[in-house]
Amino acid sequence: MTGPDAAGCVEAVFREGRSRLLALLAARFGDLDLAEEVISEAVEAALRRWPVDGVPDKPLAWLFTTARRKAVDRIRRDRTYAQRLAELRVESDRTVPTHEVDFDDIPDERLRLFFTCCHPALAPEAQIALTLRCLAGLTTHEVARAFLVPTATMAQRLVRAKRKIRAARIPFRVPGPDELASRLPGVLRVVYLVFTQGYAPSSGDDLVRADLADEAVRLARVLHRLLPDEREVTGLLALLLLTDARRAARIDAAGSQVLLEHQDRALWDADLVAEGRRLVVPALTGPGVGPYAVQAAIAALHDEADSFAATDWPQIVALYDVLLRIEPSPLVALNRAVAVAVRDGPDAGLVLLDGLAGDLSDYHLLHAARADLLRRLGRRAEAAAAYTVALDLAGNEAERATFARRLAELTGG
């Protein structure tokens, strides 16, 4: 393949293999900036040579070898990089081989990069930003859009995060068995937060950020491939798949939000539902079930029901009881209260929601849930007041439009 087709191949290979290239080179040299720079240089070299020489048999291996050579050249001629690597006390397994290697035979180093980006020494926002940049492959502009900040601001955040990795000498390694249990939840939380910001953005104009939701699912798949025996990794992937399966039904033809009760279940992705349900079984099998596995089981009960009314609400409430025991939080209690309202009636749910008013007074979905139950009870004035509060607190414009429409229905406005 030569000419324009070769240039397109460069883009495809880079998009598919970027995170693995970055992880491998960062692990070898201990420097994210150096890894990113030499990968860019290797891509530029491919764009010059592949259209003329043809696409190599193993294009990703070609990019890796070229980037590795450029890194070695940079270190040899640049004392700053050489000194930096000396300060990092690069371990023997980061030594760059002088002979040719087959990229296909090199272990996948992305797990190291996951734990580096999600190191507890970094602020939570920095962990998410680095994960999106390094593992999801988003550009700095795209990461900035996810955080709704200017690109220059995000560029500075990423620079500071990488600087912190160097200054704190955060190692590019997978934690040992004694550390893994304490470090893995942080990695899973970052992937879950990326998905949440994609599937239900807290701000902005879009009801769904498909780019972020897709990347979170892809990251969860990578984690599951790297840690197949970690049940909470399996649970997280199952939860994301079972939730994302409903994406197409969440927005109607006019672009308005459609709640679960009114969604056309024929639009749900049956393949994702089936895959997610298969993963729930191993996630729940064994002692010490985790919170993502329980949430995945709840999502599976929703997805396997023929209708909202046919859903096994008693079992969902029971699973929320389990979730409250293993990971108590006001948000879990809120979701349980909504399930209780369906099982036992709006009065029962309203009592529970009112008990959460102190913890979640600034959370728009608490007020939206109260408004819905009050509306069902015929208490229209109170429902309108609750929708007004939800409207004031919501940051997502699509959600605000939904609350405004409901408020207008109640008030005739």
Side-chain angles (χ1 to χ4, degrees), residues 271-295:
D271 291 336
L272 291 185
V273 171
E275 183 183 0
R277 290 180 65 190
R278 285 195 300 270
L279 290 170
V280 168
V281 176
L284 291 174
T285 302
V289 65
Y292 290 115
V294 176
Q295 292 178 75

Side-chain angles (χ1 to χ4, degrees), residues 137-220:
L138 271 63
T139 65
T140 301
H141 174 73
E142 289 169 332
V143 178
R145 181 172 179 259
F147 282 86
L148 299 178
V149 298
T151 300
T153 301
M154 180 52 64
Q156 286 300 312
R157 286 186 189 177
L158 290 168
V159 167
R160 287 195 295 270
K162 294 174 185 176
R163 190 178 297 147
K164 180 68 175 287
I165 290 174
R166 289 196 297 269
R169 297 183 180 178
I170 294 173
F172 288 81
R173 67 177 180 85
V174 179
D178 55 333
E179 290 182 89
L180 189 62
S182 62
R183 290 283 306 281
L184 185 57
V187 175
L188 300 181
R189 178 179 175 274
V190 167
V191 176
Y192 180 72
L193 289 175
V194 172
F195 179 79
T196 300
Q197 280 301 102
Y199 191 78
S202 59
S203 54
D205 298 329
D206 302 320
L207 183 62
V208 174
R209 286 284 312 279
D211 54 344
L212 291 182
D214 289 341
E215 289 301 337
V217 171
R218 192 175 69 81
L219 290 172

Side-chain angles (χ1 to χ4, degrees), residues 108-159:
D108 194 328
E109 299 281 4
R110 282 177 291 185
L111 196 56
R112 292 191 188 200
L113 193 53
F114 264 113
F115 282 96
T116 302
C117 291
C118 301
H119 195 280
L122 300 173
E125 281 197 348
Q127 294 178 23
I128 298 173
L130 274 178
T131 301
L132 289 173
R133 179 75 185 95
C134 297
L135 283 154
L138 271 63
T139 65
T140 301
H141 174 73
E142 289 169 332
V143 178
R145 181 172 179 259
F147 282 86
L148 299 178
V149 298
T151 300
T153 301
M154 180 52 64
Q156 286 300 312
R157 286 186 189 177
L158 290 168
V159 167

Side-chain angles (χ1 to χ4, degrees), residues 349-368:
L350 191 59
V351 170
L352 296 174
L353 290 179
D354 287 343
L356 297 171
D359 292 323
L360 298 174
S361 59
D362 294 332
Y363 187 49
H364 66 290
L365 291 182
L366 169 70
H367 299 282

Side-chain angles (χ1 to χ4, degrees), residues 370-379 383 387 406 410:
R370 287 191 72 254
D372 182 62
L373 296 185
L374 289 165
R375 178 182 59 82
R376 292 169 187 260
L377 291 168
R379 295 159 62 175
Y387 274 129
R406 297 259 175 98
L410 286 169

Side-chain angles (χ1 to χ4, degrees), residues 207-339:
L207 183 62
V208 174
R209 286 284 312 279
D211 54 344
L212 291 182
D214 289 341
E215 289 301 337
V217 171
R218 192 175 69 81
L219 290 172
R221 288 190 185 280
V222 171
L223 268 178
H224 184 251
R225 189 159 56 248
L226 298 173
L227 293 171
D229 297 326
E230 289 292 334
R231 288 164 53 207
E232 271 295 79
V233 175
T234 304
L236 176 64
L237 177 57
L239 173 61
L240 300 196
L241 294 175
L242 290 164
T243 304
D244 201 42
R246 310 177 206 137
R247 188 199 302 181
R250 293 188 68 226
I251 307 173
D252 63 16
S256 300
Q257 183 181 19
V258 182
L259 298 182
L260 182 64
E261 181 178 2
H262 305 294
Q263 287 179 13
D264 180 358
R265 298 184 178 222
L267 297 176
W268 291 1
D269 190 316
D271 291 336
L272 291 185
V273 171
E275 183 183 0
R277 290 180 65 190
R278 285 195 300 270
L279 290 170
V280 168
V281 176
L284 291 174
T285 302
V289 65
Y292 290 115
V294 176
Q295 292 178 75
I298 294 171
L301 287 172
H302 283 298
D303 286 11
E304 69 188 19
D306 293 332
S307 67
F308 188 81
T311 304
D312 190 347
W313 291 103
Q315 183 65 17
I316 286 179
V317 173
L319 285 169
Y320 274 123
D321 290 338
V322 174
L323 190 57
L324 271 175
R325 287 198 298 272
I326 63 178
E327 192 174 70
S329 78
L331 290 180
V332 174
L334 169 61
N335 288 325
R336 179 183 180 276
V338 173

Side-chain angles (χ1 to χ4, degrees), residues 25-40:
L25 291 164
R28 290 287 179 99
F29 295 102
D31 191 294
L32 275 171
D33 281 329
L34 174 62
E36 286 192 311
E37 288 170 10
V38 295
I39 288 173
S40 295

